[in-house]
PDB file of all heavy atoms in Angstrom:
ATOM      1  N   ASP H1021     111.798 123.351 133.540  1.00 93.00           N
ATOM      2  CA  ASP H1021     110.975 124.625 133.568  1.00 93.00           C
ATOM      3  C   ASP H1021     111.562 125.604 132.592  1.00 93.00           C
ATOM      4  O   ASP H1021     110.768 126.191 131.766  1.00 93.00           O
ATOM      5  CB  ASP H1021     110.751 125.135 134.923  1.00 93.00           C
ATOM      6  CG  ASP H1021     109.632 126.140 134.996  1.00 93.00           C
ATOM      7  OD1 ASP H1021     108.579 125.799 134.692  1.00 93.00           O
ATOM      8  OD2 ASP H1021     109.876 127.346 135.385  1.00 93.00           O
ATOM      9  N   VAL H1022     112.847 125.862 132.613  1.00 93.00           N
ATOM     10  CA  VAL H1022     113.453 126.792 131.744  1.00 93.00           C
ATOM     11  C   VAL H1022     113.278 126.481 130.311  1.00 93.00           C
ATOM     12  O   VAL H1022     112.976 127.269 129.456  1.00 93.00           O
ATOM     13  CB  VAL H1022     115.072 127.035 132.110  1.00 93.00           C
ATOM     14  CG1 VAL H1022     115.727 127.749 131.120  1.00 93.00           C
ATOM     15  CG2 VAL H1022     115.140 127.643 133.432  1.00 93.00           C
ATOM     16  N   LEU H1023     113.449 125.140 130.171  1.00 94.00           N
ATOM     17  CA  LEU H1023     113.399 124.653 128.730  1.00 94.00           C
ATOM     18  C   LEU H1023     112.004 124.751 128.132  1.00 94.00           C
ATOM     19  O   LEU H1023     111.679 125.025 127.051  1.00 94.00           O
ATOM     20  CB  LEU H1023     114.048 123.247 128.605  1.00 94.00           C
ATOM     21  CG  LEU H1023     115.571 123.224 129.043  1.00 94.00           C
ATOM     22  CD1 LEU H1023     116.002 121.700 129.091  1.00 94.00           C
ATOM     23  CD2 LEU H1023     116.346 124.056 128.041  1.00 94.00           C
ATOM     24  N   LEU H1024     110.959 124.429 128.965  1.00 91.00           N
ATOM     25  CA  LEU H1024     109.602 124.465 128.672  1.00 91.00           C
ATOM     26  C   LEU H1024     109.312 125.896 128.083  1.00 91.00           C
ATOM     27  O   LEU H1024     108.692 126.096 127.033  1.00 91.00           O
ATOM     28  CB  LEU H1024     108.660 124.071 129.822  1.00 91.00           C
ATOM     29  CG  LEU H1024     107.248 124.297 129.502  1.00 91.00           C
ATOM     30  CD1 LEU H1024     106.573 123.063 128.695  1.00 91.00           C
ATOM     31  CD2 LEU H1024     106.371 124.390 130.781  1.00 91.00           C
ATOM     32  N   HIS H1025     109.677 126.870 128.930  1.00 90.00           N
ATOM     33  CA  HIS H1025     109.317 128.164 128.591  1.00 90.00           C
ATOM     34  C   HIS H1025     110.153 128.862 127.521  1.00 90.00           C
ATOM     35  O   HIS H1025     109.886 129.779 126.927  1.00 90.00           O
ATOM     36  CB  HIS H1025     109.379 129.144 129.846  1.00 90.00           C
ATOM     37  CG  HIS H1025     108.257 128.798 130.734  1.00 90.00           C
ATOM     38  ND1 HIS H1025     108.329 128.045 131.817  1.00 90.00           N
ATOM     39  CD2 HIS H1025     106.985 129.217 130.741  1.00 90.00           C
ATOM     40  CE1 HIS H1025     107.198 127.805 132.405  1.00 90.00           C
ATOM     41  NE2 HIS H1025     106.339 128.595 131.848  1.00 90.00           N
ATOM     42  N   ALA H1026     111.264 128.143 127.200  1.00 92.00           N
ATOM     43  CA  ALA H1026     112.022 128.540 126.003  1.00 92.00           C
ATOM     44  C   ALA H1026     111.384 127.972 124.707  1.00 92.00           C
ATOM     45  O   ALA H1026     111.991 128.230 123.642  1.00 92.00           O
ATOM     46  CB  ALA H1026     113.555 128.116 126.220  1.00 92.00           C
ATOM     47  N   GLY H1027     110.457 127.026 124.827  1.00 92.00           N
ATOM     48  CA  GLY H1027     109.763 126.537 123.678  1.00 92.00           C
ATOM     49  C   GLY H1027     110.027 125.093 123.364  1.00 92.00           C
ATOM     50  O   GLY H1027     109.610 124.563 122.381  1.00 92.00           O
ATOM     51  N   ALA H1028     110.711 124.355 124.216  1.00 94.00           N
ATOM     52  CA  ALA H1028     110.865 122.840 123.948  1.00 94.00           C
ATOM     53  C   ALA H1028     109.535 122.073 124.024  1.00 94.00           C
ATOM     54  O   ALA H1028     108.745 122.413 125.017  1.00 94.00           O
ATOM     55  CB  ALA H1028     111.841 122.305 125.002  1.00 94.00           C
ATOM     56  N   ASP H1029     109.257 121.096 123.104  1.00 94.00           N
ATOM     57  CA  ASP H1029     108.162 120.406 123.243  1.00 94.00           C
ATOM     58  C   ASP H1029     108.251 119.241 124.253  1.00 94.00           C
ATOM     59  O   ASP H1029     107.205 118.804 124.951  1.00 94.00           O
ATOM     60  CB  ASP H1029     107.788 119.806 121.867  1.00 94.00           C
ATOM     61  CG  ASP H1029     107.494 120.988 120.766  1.00 94.00           C
ATOM     62  OD1 ASP H1029     106.465 121.543 120.863  1.00 94.00           O
ATOM     63  OD2 ASP H1029     108.379 121.188 120.098  1.00 94.00           O
TER      64      ASP H1029
END
Side-chain angles (χ1 to χ4, degrees):
Chain H
D1021 192 55
V1022 169
L1023 300 174
L1024 174 83
H1025 287 98
D1029 298 288

